mmCIF file of all heavy atoms in Angstrom:
data_model
loop_
_atom_site.group_PDB
_atom_site.id
_atom_site.type_symbol
_atom_site.label_atom_id
_atom_site.label_comp_id
_atom_site.label_asym_id
_atom_site.label_seq_id
_atom_site.Cartn_x
_atom_site.Cartn_y
_atom_site.Cartn_z
ATOM 1 N N MET I 190 7.821 4.944 5.950
ATOM 2 C CA MET I 190 8.316 4.641 4.601
ATOM 3 C C MET I 190 7.577 5.485 3.564
ATOM 4 O O MET I 190 8.170 5.946 2.587
ATOM 5 C CB MET I 190 8.119 3.159 4.273
ATOM 6 C CG MET I 190 8.933 2.208 5.098
ATOM 7 S SD MET I 190 10.690 2.576 5.036
ATOM 8 C CE MET I 190 11.077 2.251 3.328
ATOM 9 N N THR I 191 6.267 5.684 3.787
ATOM 10 C CA THR I 191 5.471 6.518 2.876
ATOM 11 C C THR I 191 6.069 7.919 2.809
ATOM 12 O O THR I 191 6.260 8.492 1.729
ATOM 13 C CB THR I 191 4.006 6.604 3.387
ATOM 14 O OG1 THR I 191 3.467 5.298 3.402
ATOM 15 C CG2 THR I 191 3.158 7.505 2.509
ATOM 16 N N ILE I 192 6.382 8.457 3.977
ATOM 17 C CA ILE I 192 6.916 9.832 4.032
ATOM 18 C C ILE I 192 8.279 9.896 3.346
ATOM 19 O O ILE I 192 8.566 10.810 2.559
ATOM 20 C CB ILE I 192 6.987 10.324 5.494
ATOM 21 C CG1 ILE I 192 5.567 10.399 6.066
ATOM 22 C CG2 ILE I 192 7.684 11.681 5.586
ATOM 23 C CD1 ILE I 192 5.495 10.514 7.570
ATOM 24 N N ALA I 193 9.117 8.883 3.595
ATOM 25 C CA ALA I 193 10.456 8.861 2.982
ATOM 26 C C ALA I 193 10.347 8.828 1.447
ATOM 27 O O ALA I 193 11.068 9.555 0.752
ATOM 28 C CB ALA I 193 11.239 7.645 3.484
ATOM 29 N N MET I 194 9.427 8.009 0.936
ATOM 30 C CA MET I 194 9.286 7.899 -0.526
ATOM 31 C C MET I 194 8.705 9.189 -1.121
ATOM 32 O O MET I 194 9.048 9.583 -2.227
ATOM 33 C CB MET I 194 8.419 6.697 -0.910
ATOM 34 C CG MET I 194 8.936 5.365 -0.425
ATOM 35 S SD MET I 194 10.707 5.103 -0.578
ATOM 36 C CE MET I 194 10.844 4.668 -2.271
ATOM 37 N N LEU I 195 7.837 9.833 -0.375
ATOM 38 C CA LEU I 195 7.282 11.112 -0.824
ATOM 39 C C LEU I 195 8.399 12.162 -0.929
ATOM 40 O O LEU I 195 8.460 12.926 -1.901
ATOM 41 C CB LEU I 195 6.199 11.557 0.168
ATOM 42 C CG LEU I 195 5.442 12.814 -0.173
ATOM 43 C CD1 LEU I 195 4.689 12.671 -1.486
ATOM 44 C CD2 LEU I 195 4.457 13.138 0.956
ATOM 45 N N MET I 196 9.285 12.172 0.047
ATOM 46 C CA MET I 196 10.418 13.112 0.026
ATOM 47 C C MET I 196 11.302 12.829 -1.192
ATOM 48 O O MET I 196 11.786 13.749 -1.849
ATOM 49 C CB MET I 196 11.245 12.969 1.314
ATOM 50 C CG MET I 196 10.546 13.451 2.565
ATOM 51 S SD MET I 196 10.194 15.214 2.475
ATOM 52 C CE MET I 196 8.444 15.214 2.509
ATOM 53 N N LEU I 197 11.495 11.538 -1.481
ATOM 54 C CA LEU I 197 12.303 11.146 -2.635
ATOM 55 C C LEU I 197 11.656 11.661 -3.928
ATOM 56 O O LEU I 197 12.338 12.211 -4.799
ATOM 57 C CB LEU I 197 12.389 9.609 -2.669
ATOM 58 C CG LEU I 197 13.468 8.988 -3.521
ATOM 59 C CD1 LEU I 197 14.840 9.379 -3.013
ATOM 60 C CD2 LEU I 197 13.323 7.463 -3.503
ATOM 61 N N ASN I 198 10.329 11.517 -4.029
ATOM 62 C CA ASN I 198 9.612 12.009 -5.213
ATOM 63 C C ASN I 198 9.748 13.521 -5.337
ATOM 64 O O ASN I 198 9.882 14.056 -6.435
ATOM 65 C CB ASN I 198 8.134 11.617 -5.145
ATOM 66 C CG ASN I 198 7.886 10.175 -5.560
ATOM 67 O OD1 ASN I 198 8.793 9.493 -6.030
ATOM 68 N ND2 ASN I 198 6.657 9.711 -5.380
ATOM 69 N N CYS I 199 9.704 14.226 -4.200
ATOM 70 C CA CYS I 199 9.849 15.699 -4.235
ATOM 71 C C CYS I 199 11.216 16.073 -4.804
ATOM 72 O O CYS I 199 11.339 16.996 -5.622
ATOM 73 C CB CYS I 199 9.693 16.287 -2.834
ATOM 74 S SG CYS I 199 8.012 16.167 -2.207
ATOM 75 N N LEU I 200 12.229 15.365 -4.353
ATOM 76 C CA LEU I 200 13.592 15.623 -4.822
ATOM 77 C C LEU I 200 13.702 15.353 -6.328
ATOM 78 O O LEU I 200 14.267 16.153 -7.074
ATOM 79 C CB LEU I 200 14.538 14.691 -4.043
ATOM 80 C CG LEU I 200 15.988 15.084 -3.948
ATOM 81 C CD1 LEU I 200 16.140 16.420 -3.245
ATOM 82 C CD2 LEU I 200 16.752 14.000 -3.175
ATOM 83 N N GLU I 201 13.128 14.240 -6.771
ATOM 84 C CA GLU I 201 13.142 13.880 -8.195
ATOM 85 C C GLU I 201 12.425 14.940 -9.032
ATOM 86 O O GLU I 201 12.871 15.313 -10.102
ATOM 87 C CB GLU I 201 12.444 12.526 -8.419
ATOM 88 C CG GLU I 201 13.233 11.334 -7.939
ATOM 89 C CD GLU I 201 14.574 11.195 -8.652
ATOM 90 O OE1 GLU I 201 14.640 11.452 -9.861
ATOM 91 O OE2 GLU I 201 15.555 10.862 -7.958
ATOM 92 N N SER I 202 11.295 15.419 -8.509
ATOM 93 C CA SER I 202 10.518 16.422 -9.229
ATOM 94 C C SER I 202 11.327 17.705 -9.397
ATOM 95 O O SER I 202 11.385 18.291 -10.476
ATOM 96 C CB SER I 202 9.224 16.703 -8.460
ATOM 97 O OG SER I 202 8.517 17.749 -9.058
ATOM 98 N N LYS I 203 11.982 18.107 -8.328
ATOM 99 C CA LYS I 203 12.796 19.323 -8.356
ATOM 100 C C LYS I 203 13.921 19.171 -9.381
ATOM 101 O O LYS I 203 14.180 20.087 -10.170
ATOM 102 C CB LYS I 203 13.346 19.586 -6.941
ATOM 103 C CG LYS I 203 14.265 20.764 -6.807
ATOM 104 C CD LYS I 203 13.520 22.074 -6.904
ATOM 105 C CE LYS I 203 14.473 23.256 -6.733
ATOM 106 N NZ LYS I 203 13.993 24.423 -7.487
ATOM 107 N N LYS I 204 14.545 18.011 -9.380
ATOM 108 C CA LYS I 204 15.646 17.767 -10.328
ATOM 109 C C LYS I 204 15.130 17.826 -11.763
ATOM 110 O O LYS I 204 15.762 18.407 -12.637
ATOM 111 C CB LYS I 204 16.245 16.377 -10.075
ATOM 112 C CG LYS I 204 17.196 16.316 -8.904
ATOM 113 C CD LYS I 204 17.926 14.975 -8.985
ATOM 114 C CE LYS I 204 18.389 14.484 -7.656
ATOM 115 N NZ LYS I 204 18.588 13.038 -7.608
ATOM 116 N N MET I 205 13.939 17.239 -12.006
ATOM 117 C CA MET I 205 13.362 17.243 -13.352
ATOM 118 C C MET I 205 13.055 18.661 -13.803
ATOM 119 O O MET I 205 13.290 19.031 -14.951
ATOM 120 C CB MET I 205 12.054 16.431 -13.361
ATOM 121 C CG MET I 205 12.249 14.952 -13.556
ATOM 122 S SD MET I 205 10.770 14.031 -13.126
ATOM 123 C CE MET I 205 9.648 14.569 -14.366
ATOM 124 N N LEU I 206 12.545 19.478 -12.880
ATOM 125 C CA LEU I 206 12.144 20.844 -13.235
ATOM 126 C C LEU I 206 13.356 21.737 -13.482
ATOM 127 O O LEU I 206 13.257 22.756 -14.151
ATOM 128 C CB LEU I 206 11.252 21.434 -12.134
ATOM 129 C CG LEU I 206 9.867 20.776 -12.048
ATOM 130 C CD1 LEU I 206 9.190 21.095 -10.736
ATOM 131 C CD2 LEU I 206 8.995 21.214 -13.211
ATOM 132 N N GLN I 207 14.519 21.347 -12.923
ATOM 133 C CA GLN I 207 15.727 22.153 -13.107
ATOM 134 C C GLN I 207 16.393 21.868 -14.446
ATOM 135 O O GLN I 207 17.253 22.623 -14.874
ATOM 136 C CB GLN I 207 16.713 21.870 -11.959
ATOM 137 C CG GLN I 207 16.419 22.721 -10.729
ATOM 138 C CD GLN I 207 17.288 22.370 -9.553
ATOM 139 O OE1 GLN I 207 17.810 21.263 -9.460
ATOM 140 N NE2 GLN I 207 17.451 23.295 -8.651
ATOM 141 N N LYS I 208 16.054 20.730 -15.072
ATOM 142 C CA LYS I 208 16.716 20.329 -16.340
ATOM 143 C C LYS I 208 16.350 21.257 -17.473
ATOM 144 O O LYS I 208 15.237 21.739 -17.545
ATOM 145 C CB LYS I 208 16.351 18.894 -16.675
ATOM 146 C CG LYS I 208 17.236 17.907 -15.935
ATOM 147 C CD LYS I 208 16.934 16.477 -16.332
ATOM 148 C CE LYS I 208 17.638 15.515 -15.400
ATOM 149 N NZ LYS I 208 17.038 14.190 -15.425
#
Side-chain angles (χ1 to χ4, degrees):
M190 294 305 294
T191 299
I192 296 165
M194 301 318 280
L195 184 61
M196 291 297 117
L197 197 63
N198 280 353
C199 291
L200 202 61
E201 287 299 322
S202 175
K203 177 73 179 150
K204 281 192 207 157
M205 275 165 66
L206 291 164
Q207 275 175 337
K208 277 184 191 160

